[in-house]
Amino acid sequence: MGKEPREAVTPENLGARQERDAATRPRPTAEDLRADGRFEVAELCVPGPPDGPDVTLVSARPSGLVGPLPLLYYMHGGAMITGNAWSVLPRILREWALPLELAVISVEYRLAPRAQYPGPLEDCYAGLVWAARHAAELDIDADRIIIGGKSAGGGLAAALALLTRDRGGPGPLGQLLLCPMLDDRDSTFSSHQMTGLGMWDLTSNATAWKALLGDRYGAADLPPYAAPARATDLSGLPPAYIEVGSAEMFRDEDVAYANAIWQAGGQAELHVWPGAYHGFDSLAPRAALSQDARNARTRWLRRLLAQSGTRSRPAV
């Protein structure tokens, strides 16, 4: 990959990294995502949070299915500072939407530091509430919504599960947390063990959290919706799938989060992939370990959906 992608993100180079990401990260159009008619795709502009802008949702589903379909409500990765809602969809549609007969909504939340906490999370919550309220027109099942995301998106999904529980919002069927970014304090053993190693390290992580939290970075009274590892009450949450690599800085905070869910009486399936680094399955998709990880996620989704009701049938 060369040296540049592995250079730490710092406050000094953050702006340049964001510009490069916006210019180089794939952003498939709706027509691209339709894949010659295999999927129905729409870009939706829905009301955002109070005093916030509207939120763009990218909605996609396999063509020719009679609903209501279960929904995967997905938040992209990018450390809260990069990424977009479109780039993650081709793989999600191919690997989950088609075989599991899922509808998918990907959220274009605002990025830090232009938008700081709670802006990005409130974008995700506003989109979730809108989707649940408009389930009939979206042809989705409001009782079978799975929230999920990867890295920063996994952290947002965990925060969204806490927020909607406490606000009495739409109750998710499950939460899919892939190498989630959960803890702003960077005090775990693995966060220091992996300093200067891998694709994402302590310097980059601190830069991203500071961009998101601003003056509240490291505050003792930071709410759990900002950094879910801060939560002291993990009861009443939907079943969680949590995965992380053994060779990435998020290892210990993610393992601790699964353990806290168990201690609160909840359900969590935890996978720590040996030797895996942050983003391993995207960078080495054909590796045997990457294939095992993708298969494990799919099996969990399939079990969760099977336990919640019958699958949708193809249109006549």
Side-chain angles (χ1 to χ4, degrees), residues 140-233:
I140 62 170
D141 187 343
D143 294 324
R144 302 175 76 199
I145 298 176
I146 302 167
I147 57 177
K150 189 172 187 178
S151 192
L156 281 170
L160 189 56
L162 293 166
L163 188 64
T164 195
R165 177 198 66 181
D166 295 345
R167 287 183 178 175
L173 181 65
Q175 48 180 329
L176 180 70
L177 312 180
L178 307 178
C179 53
M181 177 181 173
L182 301 172
D183 198 342
D184 67 299
R185 294 166 294 190
D186 288 334
S187 59
T188 64
F189 184 87
S190 62
S191 66
H192 291 266
Q193 182 185 28
M194 299 306 298
T195 296
L197 300 172
M199 301 301 301
W200 191 252
D201 76 344
L202 191 63
T203 299
S204 298
N205 205 50
T207 300
W209 278 112
K210 290 174 183 177
L212 176 67
L213 301 176
D215 293 340
R216 304 180 75 178
Y217 172 69
D221 61 348
L222 191 70
Y225 317 118
R230 301 286 197 114
T232 57
D233 178 13

Side-chain angles (χ1 to χ4, degrees), residues 3 130 143 258:
K3 182 180 179 181
W130 185 92
D143 294 324

